[in-house]
Amino acid sequence: MNAVVEKTIDNLKKNDFEVVCCATAQEAKDYLAGKIDAGKSIGVGGSMTIRQMEVLPALEEKGCRIVTHWGAAGDEAEQKMKEAREADVYMCSVNAITSGGKLVMIDGRGNRVGAICDGPHEVYFVASTDKIVEGGTGAAIARIKRDAAPPNCKRLGLNTPCAETGVCAGDECVDPSCRITLVVDKVPRKRTMTVVLVEEKLGY
């Protein structure tokens, strides 16, 4: 673990986040499957990181109910997003983490942002350490626009310049997927938020 990661962990803790460090996705999966109580409902954002870990089947086997809009459309998707915000637990990834211990994410629909701001009491963020950036929120947003948004837009089949070229077009993008930016400076009052850092690369 390098000095930047250690600094980030220290600052996340100062900002009231609980932090768990895992060497591999399997280790993170085992932690979450053991930590979250059986029978709880778990809202899940549209995260490649969470799905790559294959933690959701393990939680279902344990007796948890997974609430996700993936695979749904129209009114059903809207209902699933609402149910995810009202679940016992919310699980998602984050697009960037500053070395100062702040979480930064950009959404298109805003369901993840809504759940984080005013949703389940218990929230787990899973992110690989390559999402840590030195500097402030500006560096974090630059990382998202460069490394996360283009491949995600391409995966979703969106008609954005970055999906085609791999480069953010900024204000020239007519129908951007980047519509809501959230910075979590500190854990909101009366909430519990855990950042699970994984040294193995996951997601975007």
Side-chain angles (χ1 to χ4, degrees):
M1 187 179 297
N2 63 39
V4 174
V5 175
E6 290 179 350
K7 174 184 175 182
T8 303
I9 292 170
D10 288 342
N11 285 325
L12 284 167
K13 291 178 178 178
K14 288 177 183 177
N15 290 336
D16 300 325
F17 293 98
E18 296 180 9
V19 183
V20 175
C21 300
C22 300
T24 65
Q26 181 64 50
E27 187 178 330
K29 172 185 172 180
D30 292 343
Y31 165 76
L32 290 165
K35 178 71 173 179
I36 299 173
D37 293 335
K40 286 195 172 182
S41 58
I42 304 171
V44 184
S47 167
M48 287 300 297
T49 294
I50 299 300
R51 283 158 179 81
Q52 286 174 351
M53 291 169 55
E54 299 182 345
V55 67
L56 301 182
L59 288 165
E60 283 185 311
E61 289 178 10
K62 185 177 180 177
C64 295
R65 182 171 69 89
I66 306 301
V67 183
T68 177
H69 65 281
W70 277 40
D75 291 343
E76 182 186 2
E78 291 292 327
Q79 180 61 30
K80 290 294 185 183
M81 290 179 190
K82 180 176 183 295
E83 290 178 15
R85 290 193 297 273
E86 297 171 348
D88 300 315
V89 177
Y90 194 74
M91 186 183 299
C92 63
S93 189
V94 59
N95 301 120
I97 304 172
T98 72
S99 57
K102 298 183 180 185
L103 309 184
V104 185
M105 58 211 81
I106 298 180
D107 274 11
R109 173 64 175 76
N111 55 294
R112 171 178 60 164
V113 166
I116 292 167
C117 290
D118 190 27
H121 172 81
E122 188 177 355
V123 181
Y124 292 90
F125 300 94
V126 185
S128 54
T129 53
D130 69 331
K131 293 184 179 183
I132 294 173
V133 298
E134 293 192 76
T137 56
I141 291 170
R143 189 257 171 210
I144 297 168
K145 300 279 189 175
R146 182 186 66 244
D147 298 332
N152 199 45
C153 287
K154 185 175 182 178
R155 176 182 66 83
L156 293 171
L158 300 181
N159 186 27
T160 62
C162 70
E164 181 177 349
T165 67
V167 178
C168 176
D171 292 340
E172 300 301 315
C173 186
V174 176
D175 187 19
S177 67
C178 299
R179 292 178 176 267
I180 303 175
T181 301
L182 174 68
V183 180
V184 185
D185 298 290
K186 291 180 178 291
V187 174
R189 291 185 177 90
K190 299 183 178 180
R191 306 286 293 287
T192 299
M193 294 186 170
T194 302
V195 179
V196 181
L197 291 175
V198 186
E199 293 183 56
E200 184 178 340
K201 181 173 174 55
L202 292 166
Y204 304 127

